[in-house]
Amino acid sequence: MRLTVLFLSLVLIAACSNNPKLADKNNNQNTVENGTAKTRPEEKGANILNVSGCYWKISNHDTIGLHLNQTGDSINGRLTFDNYQMDGSSGLASGTVEGNIIKLWYRFSAEGMNSVTEIYFKKEGSNLLRGSAQYRASGDSSFYENKANITYNLEDPFLMVLCDSFPIKFKLKKRFKKGGSKV
């Protein structure tokens, strides 16, 4: 009985290793070395566009600054609207990078109220183009009503600037862990 089960197991293993679909599936799996799973570079992160950096746009007397920090396809940062003769806003942005599109949720305070707004940017060369489309509001949040209608204006870019020269009010502030080390 044991020999029969062993024989059938070996036949099944041999059949699976000769099956091109299963062999292809096994080739797409992560490799394991010394008990640790390793992802091949071509599978994860190799084609993700890096958008980390500082960007700003000056329009008339208004300045908008964006400081982004990217890890893989996740992104976080600070977005600040410094408006002339009216209230501005400043807050944290977080989201993902998909192709050359940066999808952010901007959480900010303005005029004593907390709000959340969905904002997309498109990477064009070293600059960013802000997405424009009809918004819909729900509670304290606003989001694109139809993402298929988002357009990006080449004539109105956010220019990439050196973060060292970026004014402090636009920079993403470093957080500290207990013990004083930077996060």
Side-chain angles (χ1 to χ4, degrees), residues 18-88:
N18 290 332
N19 184 333
K21 284 186 179 178
L22 289 176
D24 187 49
K25 181 179 177 185
N26 289 335
N27 288 336
N28 289 330
Q29 297 297 317
N30 293 340
T31 58
V32 177
E33 292 178 16
N34 301 326
T36 305
K38 296 199 173 214
T39 303
R40 286 185 233 121
E42 69 271 12
E43 288 179 12
K44 187 166 184 159
N47 294 325
I48 296 175
L49 186 64
N50 186 357
V51 297
S52 291
C54 296
Y55 304 85
W56 74 353
K57 180 175 95 166
I58 300 172
S59 178
N60 296 323
H61 296 292
D62 299 336
T63 304
I64 306 169
L66 178 61
H67 186 180
L68 297 175
N69 187 13
Q70 181 177 347
T71 304
D73 65 349
S74 296
I75 195 149
N76 63 61
R78 180 177 182 80
L79 181 58
T80 302
F81 291 84
D82 187 15
N83 300 319
Y84 180 71
Q85 294 186 340
M86 62 185 298
D87 286 343

